[in-house]
Amino acid sequence: MRVFLTGGAGYIGSHTLLEVLSEAHEVCVYDDFSNSAPEALARVEQLTNRKFLAVTGNILDQMLVAKALVEFQPDVVVHFAGKKAVGESVAKPLMYYENNVVGTLSLLRGMEAAGCRRIVFSSSATVYGNPQYLPLDENHPLSATNPYGQTKLMVEHILRDWCATQLDASAVLLRYFNPVGAHDSGKIGEDPHDIPNNLMPFVSQVAVGRRKKLQVFGGDYNTSDGTGVRDYIHVVDLAKAHAAAISFAETHTGCEAINVGTGQGASVLDVVAAFEAASGRSVPNEMVERRPGDVAACYADASKAQNLLGWQATRDLADMCKTAWKWQSQNPNGYQG
Ligand code: WQD
C-alpha cells in the first residue's frame, strides 16, 4: 500500500514510519520539522534500509499538501501533524485551532483532490474529559477541558461527518493514552524542543542530568499512593497499532474511534521507581501542588482494539523505561547531537 504520513518525522510519526516501512509499504512523509528533526528520518532509513519520499511542508499550505498528495497518490493517510501541548494550547488557543483543525481541513481538501478516502487520525484520550467511570471505553461521554482537547474533539466530528458523505470512505480515530519509551535501537525517540510538559521525558532528563529535580504534581489524589495514575503505552506498541489501523482502513468503511492503551494504570511514583530501576540513576523529586486540569486517574478499556484491529499492547512499564533511558543516554541532547 501507498501510505502518506503527515508529521512523519515526529516522535510517534517516526516510530510508525519505521513499522510501516518494515511492512514494505511505499511511504511519503510530509513534515515541516517545526517540532521534529530531519535526522529522525535519516535514522529510520538507516534502521530499515528502505527508501521513502519526504516533502518539507506545513499542513496549512493547502496548495503544497494537495500537490504532494496528488503526485504520491496514497491509498491511506496517517495524520500526525499537529500541536499537542495542553498548557501551550491554553496560552495560544488560536494557534491550536488553526494548526489542528484548519490544518486537517487543508489535508482533507488535498485528499479529495488526490481521490484518497482513507485516513488514520492521531486522536487522544483527552477527548474523554474528566472520567465518569474507569476503565474508559469508546462509549464514554466526550468533552474537552482545554483547547488542545477541543481540537481533537472537533477533528473527530469533522472526520465522522466527512465519512458520512462518501460510502467508500474510512476514518480510524486512534485515541492515544500516554505514549512513552523508544525504539529498541535507541536511535529514535522523544525529543521535546523545550522544557518537557510530559512526565517521562522530564524524568528521563533528570536522570541524565539535564534537569535537577522532578516536581510531582500532587500527592493527594484518591489513588494508591496519592499521585496521578495514567495508562502509559510503549510507542512501539502504538506504532504497531497504526500499522493495524492502516490495514483495517483498507478493508473497512465508516468512522471508528478506538482506544490505544494497555488497560493498566501506573502512578507518577511507579514511573519514577521503574525509571530508577531501568537506568540505575536516581530521580530526585519533590511533591508540589496539583497541576490545574489534571485528573486523578485515566486508563483504557482496550478491548475494541483487540476485537477490531487484532492488536494489543505487549510491552510493560519496565521496558518503556529501559528503552526511554537507552534513547536518552545515547542522545543526551536528542537529535541535536
Ligand atoms: C502524566 C502524569 C501529571 C509532569 C497529556 C495530554 C494527553 C497526551 C499525553 C498528547 C500526571 C504527572 C507530569 C511532571 C508530574 N498528549 N506529572 N510532573 O497530562 O496525562 O496527558 O500528555 O496527546 O493528551 O493531556 O500526561 O505526562 O503530562 O502527565 O507529576 O513534570 O504525570 O500530573 O499525573 P497527561 P503527562
Side-chain angles (χ1 to χ4, degrees):
M1 283 173 63
R2 301 181 66 80
V3 183
F4 190 91
L5 298 181
T6 74
Y11 172 43
I12 301 164
S14 57
H15 285 82
T16 301
L17 172 62
L18 191 148
E19 284 301 322
V20 169
L21 287 171
S22 306
E23 294 188 356
H25 294 301
E26 297 300 314
V27 182
C28 178
V29 169
Y30 185 90
D31 202 309
D32 66 359
F33 301 108
S34 59
N35 191 26
S36 57
E39 175 62 16
L41 299 183
R43 294 189 186 185
V44 171
E45 185 173 342
Q46 290 159 10
L47 287 166
T48 59
N49 195 28
R50 284 187 52 88
K51 297 283 186 193
F52 53 90
L53 291 174
V55 173
T56 302
N58 184 301
I59 197 74
L60 287 165
D61 185 339
Q62 191 163 335
M63 296 284 284
L64 182 57
V65 72
K67 179 175 180 292
L69 286 159
V70 168
E71 287 178 358
F72 184 70
Q73 284 296 302
D75 298 301
V76 60
V77 170
V78 186
H79 183 29
F80 294 108
K83 302 284 183 185
K84 62 163 195 167
V86 171
E88 186 183 47
S89 80
V90 175
K92 302 175 182 174
L94 298 187
M95 181 175 83
Y96 272 68
Y97 288 114
E98 186 169 36
N99 275 275
N100 293 4
V101 182
V102 180
T104 301
L105 294 174
S106 169
L107 171 66
L108 291 171
R109 289 295 187 201
M111 288 173 65
E112 285 181 338
C116 178
R117 283 181 282 283
R118 298 186 186 91
I119 186 167
V120 175
F121 172 58
S122 166
S123 191
S124 167
T126 201
V127 301
Y128 293 122
N130 293 322
Q132 293 173 20
Y133 57 79
L134 290 170
L136 291 164
D137 61 26
E138 289 83 353
N139 299 318
H140 185 282
L142 304 180
S143 67
T145 56
N146 55 69
Y148 163 74
Q150 283 289 6
T151 68
K152 291 299 183 183
L153 206 45
M154 286 178 178
V155 172
E156 288 203 2
H157 288 308
I158 289 167
L159 292 175
R160 203 171 291 284
D161 292 342
W162 174 80
C163 257
T165 63
Q166 318 167 80
L167 293 179
D168 59 348
S170 179
V172 183
L173 317 176
L174 295 182
R175 292 175 179 164
Y176 306 167
F177 279 71
N178 289 61
V180 294
H183 186 255
D184 293 323
S185 65
K187 291 193 178 300
I188 58 174
E190 188 169 13
D191 183 20
H193 279 187
D194 42 32
I195 299 174
N197 299 297
N198 297 134
L199 178 66
M200 187 65 87
F202 202 103
V203 165
S204 190
Q205 289 188 9
V206 171
V208 82
R210 272 180 69 178
R211 309 265 170 216
K212 283 198 177 314
K213 184 184 290 189
L214 169 74
Q215 292 190 314
V216 178
F217 297 144
D220 58 351
Y221 286 108
N222 181 21
T223 61
S224 56
D225 59 18
T227 64
V229 168
R230 296 293 184 274
D231 184 334
Y232 297 96
I233 175 164
H234 198 292
V235 67
V236 172
D237 275 335
L238 181 59
K240 291 179 186 298
H242 285 79
I246 287 166
S247 303
F248 181 84
E250 174 72 2
T251 55
H252 293 74
T253 58
C255 184
E256 289 287 356
I258 301 176
N259 286 341
V260 188
T262 66
Q264 302 295 319
S267 74
V268 175
L269 295 182
D270 289 335
V271 172
V272 170
F275 204 94
E276 289 181 328
S279 64
R281 298 286 182 91
S282 73
V283 177
N285 59 85
E286 62 174 341
M287 208 63 76
V288 297
E289 287 303 303
R290 295 181 177 187
R291 180 172 63 178
D294 272 357
V295 299
C298 174
Y299 49 91
D301 172 339
S303 54
K304 185 175 179 182
Q306 171 68 42
N307 298 334
L308 278 193
L309 304 181
W311 171 91
Q312 64 181 17
T314 61
R315 304 173 77 139
D316 62 12
L317 184 60
D319 191 47
M320 296 172 204
C321 293
K322 180 179 154 211
T323 52
W325 176 242
K326 184 171 182 181
W327 153 256
Q328 184 72 79
S329 58
Q330 290 180 357
N331 306 272
N333 295 310
Y335 291 112
Q336 308 316 317

